[in-house]
Amino acid sequence: MYFTRNQIHSNFWNYLFLTNSEFLSFINNTINTDLLFGIDKIQAEYEMQWPITNHKIIPAHYIFANSESLSGLNNKKFDSLYTNTRVTDESYYKNELTLLSKFHSYFTDFHDRQSANDVYIKIKHLETERLEHLYEDDKSFKNYFEMIVNRFLERFSDYGTSPSKIVISSFKIILIFAFLFLFSTNSWNKINLNRYNKGITQSINYFTTDATIIKAYEIDENRILQNTNTKAALVTNRNHVPKVFSFFSLLFINTQTKLIEIKLSFWNYLNVVKNSWHELSSFKRVVYSFLIGVLMLGYLLIKVLSILFNALTLSINSFTTLGFGEIPIKGIGRYLAIVEGFIGWIFLTLFSVTLISQILS
């Protein structure tokens, strides 16, 4: 039997029941109407479409089973039946579950994952509505917990059918906690005030005296002196230590000294203030002021990006429960990290289960 490429448009409830046959092709139909729909059994040889219709569906088997009490129904009464009885009447609920389960089993057997997922989501929507009704009648913890779990699965994973939705939700949670961590005391972002004060003092000394940039900022002065003293000690005691030790030690010191000299040459190249700042020409002061401003803004930008990156890293670390050894935050941030870790554990578990189920389906 072929039922294909049909166009059905109506503002009234229509009846469609597919009986058993050796072959059935029910595809490419456009059904824009509410349906009393039924099918005995979906066999492997059948070709079926999903959705049957985007409008309301009442299981025909429910109508058959309750024909005496439901006789004489009109369009408005069918609407009322669908709205008021769908989850409150256990017989109706089970008939609709049976109908949807037939389609889910059919699409699962044919590895049509998209259609199977769509049917499964519809089944779980129906189950959630049923649980909400049961909770209204009996406000027990069991009913409440099952209802909340279903709502959670719907919101974040389409009832375990969408791993990508979990990833997107997880990323949003990570960003939210990263924002909160910005306002928490974090040892990663600790500012060394002594270092900043020393740097400011050295800068003042550089701009107001004739000290070179190397002298003012004490760049590697101690290392040069230390290398010189160590080299002198090695030369003096060359005959009193193993030659191989003396050879490799001198090689190491000479290499280090050469690298320091290259570094100092670079800093000498940047030594633009030869005497003092006020002795520079107006043009040079304008140019150097601009360059110094760019450098300071660049440093500030790097510092801000570092703080943002640290907050994001901390949030990812908490969410994935990788652990820190010691949590690098204090105060309320510690508790936020624990809360995020618990949320992350739930989401990562849900993601793993959802991904595996989709791979194996």
Side-chain angles (χ1 to χ4, degrees):
M1 182 175 71
Y2 290 89
F3 192 91
T4 61
R5 294 183 176 84
N6 292 286
Q7 302 281 335
I8 303 175
H9 303 275
S10 174
N11 294 324
F12 299 94
W13 283 85
N14 286 269
Y15 173 79
L16 177 61
F17 191 89
L18 304 176
T19 57
N20 284 342
S21 60
E22 292 185 2
F23 176 77
L24 172 64
S25 180
F26 185 86
I27 56 175
N28 300 324
N29 297 291
T30 302
I31 303 176
N32 293 318
T33 181
D34 298 330
L35 277 181
L36 302 174
F37 180 80
I39 185 169
D40 284 332
K41 184 179 180 181
I42 305 179
Q43 300 183 26
E45 296 79 10
Y46 290 2
E47 293 180 340
M48 301 298 297
Q49 72 177 49
W50 185 266
I52 303 300
T53 176
N54 289 320
H55 290 247
K56 303 170 187 174
I57 292 180
I58 292 179
H61 284 91
Y62 175 76
I63 302 298
F64 297 158
N66 298 273
S67 56
E68 293 183 3
S69 59
L70 297 176
S71 59
L73 288 178
N74 55 30
N75 206 56
K76 288 185 178 180
K77 290 183 179 179
F78 277 126
D79 285 334
S80 177
L81 176 67
Y82 180 87
T83 303
N84 301 323
T85 312
R86 191 162 177 251
V87 292
T88 58
D89 187 326
E90 186 174 358
S91 175
Y92 186 114
Y93 171 70
K94 289 184 176 179
N95 269 278
E96 185 165 350
L97 276 184
T98 301
L99 176 62
L100 293 172
S101 297
K102 291 177 182 178
F103 281 93
H104 183 258
S105 298
Y106 170 80
F107 290 122
T108 300
D109 291 341
F110 278 91
H111 301 285
D112 184 351
R113 188 173 62 186
Q114 185 61 54
S115 297
N117 284 345
D118 289 343
V119 179
Y120 181 74
I121 290 172
K122 198 169 183 66
I123 291 173
K124 297 300 289 185
H125 273 312
L126 180 63
E127 180 185 293
T128 302
E129 291 178 22
R130 174 70 175 173
L131 289 171
E132 289 171 350
H133 166 70
L134 293 177
Y135 179 68
E136 289 179 2
D137 286 349
D138 178 14
K139 297 187 182 299
S140 64
F141 176 76
K142 177 179 178 295
N143 288 338
Y144 176 76
F145 184 78
E146 291 179 354
M147 178 184 68
I148 291 300
V149 168
N150 267 35
R151 287 178 177 176
F152 175 82
L153 293 175
E154 176 189 10
R155 171 66 179 82
F156 293 106
S157 68
D158 285 341
Y159 297 108
T161 63
S162 177
S164 61
K165 194 171 184 179
I166 303 173
V167 172
I168 294 171
S169 299
S170 298
F171 184 67
K172 291 178 180 178
I173 292 171
I174 288 172
L175 289 180
I176 290 172
F177 276 90
F179 175 76
L180 296 176
F181 287 142
L182 288 174
F183 304 98
S184 302
T185 303
N186 186 343
S187 60
W188 291 351
N189 298 328
K190 187 177 181 180
I191 297 176
N192 190 334
L193 293 178
N194 291 331
R195 180 182 175 185
Y196 279 97
N197 289 333
K198 182 180 179 181
I200 292 172
T201 302
Q202 290 173 334
S203 298
I204 293 173
N205 182 43
Y206 174 65
F207 288 122
T208 57
T209 67
D210 59 354
T212 64
I213 194 170
I214 295 173
K215 191 73 175 176
Y217 291 97
E218 302 173 4
I219 300 174
D220 288 332
E221 282 190 335
N222 293 333
R223 292 181 63 187
I224 288 286
L225 180 61
Q226 186 179 7
N227 282 0
T228 302
N229 293 335
T230 304
K231 185 176 180 180
L234 280 170
V235 172
T236 302
N237 298 283
R238 179 180 298 176
N239 297 326
H240 303 285
V241 297
K243 292 186 180 299
V244 65
F245 171 78
S246 177
F247 173 78
F248 281 107
S249 296
L250 286 172
L251 178 64
F252 174 77
I253 291 174
N254 289 332
T255 302
Q256 287 294 313
T257 302
K258 191 64 178 177
L259 292 174
I260 293 172
E261 288 175 353
I262 294 173
K263 181 180 178 181
L264 294 178
S265 298
F266 171 76
W267 284 110
N268 277 325
Y269 178 77
L270 296 179
N271 187 40
V272 293
V273 182
K274 302 298 182 182
N275 295 312
S276 61
W277 179 257
H278 73 275
E279 294 180 7
L280 295 175
S281 65
S282 299
F283 175 75
K284 286 186 177 181
R285 277 187 285 182
V286 170
V287 173
Y288 294 155
S289 294
F290 173 76
L291 294 176
I292 292 170
V294 170
L295 289 174
M296 294 186 72
L297 287 175
Y299 175 80
L300 181 62
L301 178 61
I302 291 173
K303 192 65 179 177
V304 170
L305 291 177
S306 174
I307 292 173
L308 294 175
F309 182 75
N310 286 342
L312 182 61
T313 301
L314 178 59
S315 183
I316 293 173
N317 208 335
S318 298
F319 187 86
T320 55
T321 62
L322 292 176
F324 305 92
E326 181 182 354
I327 299 177
I329 49 179
K330 299 179 180 179
I332 194 172
R334 283 179 175 266
Y335 305 104
L336 288 176
I338 294 171
V339 170
E340 186 181 11
F342 179 72
I343 295 173
W345 170 70
I346 294 174
F347 271 76
L348 291 175
T349 302
L350 179 60
F351 173 76
S352 299
V353 173
T354 301
L355 183 63
I356 292 172
S357 69
Q358 291 301 295
I359 291 174
L360 297 180
S361 63

